[in-house]
Each structure stands twice: as C-alpha cells, then as structure tokens.
Amino acid sequence: MQRRASHTGVIVVAGQNVAVGRLHQHRTVRVTVSDTTLAMDLDDRDVKVVRRTTTPPSVASGTATADRHLIRSTLAKSHGKGG
C-alpha cells in the first residue's frame, strides 16, 4: 500500500501514526504491512521498520460494526428519534 506523508512527515497506517521524518514530507511512501510490523520504503536505499501498535482486524470484525448500528438504532428509538 502507499501513503502520502504529511507536512510534518507522518503517515497513518492501520490507525497507527508513524513518523517517517520531515525529509519525506509530502512524498509517497510505500508500506508493507505484516501482522507484527510496518516496513516503509523511504527511498531507493532506506527502509524503516516499526512494530505495530494496532492489531490486525479479526475475521469477525463486521460483527462489531453490526452491533454498533443495532445499539444506535435502539437508542434512537428509545429517545423517540426513529431509526
């Protein structure tokens, strides 16, 4: 995957902020994601590897979203807002 570095040299991958450095600001960074690490190809010769602080999505990740929608719908109905 690819991410564009911000003006401060930060990218966001899988909900995790990673500082790649101001030298790389506004540049596109190629990112390789594994279960435990993020590897950023910064240019032709530099690679930055950091440990993931977020967990990969589980197989049942859609269940949490469905539960959230059900809760919102139930709360809206109980407050007379339809849903």
Side-chain angles (χ1 to χ4, degrees):
M1 73 176 52
Q2 295 181 349
R3 293 291 186 264
R4 186 166 190 256
S6 70
H7 69 283
T8 57
V10 174
I11 62 171
V12 179
V13 180
Q16 179 175 337
N17 291 328
V18 180
V20 293
R22 287 184 186 260
L23 180 65
H24 304 286
Q25 65 186 4
H26 302 292
R27 293 187 183 166
T28 300
V29 178
R30 189 173 181 186
V31 183
T32 304
V33 179
S34 76
D35 288 344
T36 57
T37 61
L38 303 172
M40 281 75 54
D41 294 323
L42 301 176
D43 54 34
D44 291 339
R45 60 192 180 286
D46 289 335
V47 176
K48 179 175 184 172
V49 178
V50 296
R51 179 172 285 144
R52 286 187 66 162
T53 59
T54 56
T55 56
S58 67
V59 174
S61 64
T63 304
T65 303
D67 289 346
R68 255 194 318 273
H69 288 294
L70 178 62
I71 291 168
R72 284 185 190 150
S73 174
T74 304
L75 288 174
K77 287 178 183 175
S78 68
H79 288 89
K81 296 183 181 179

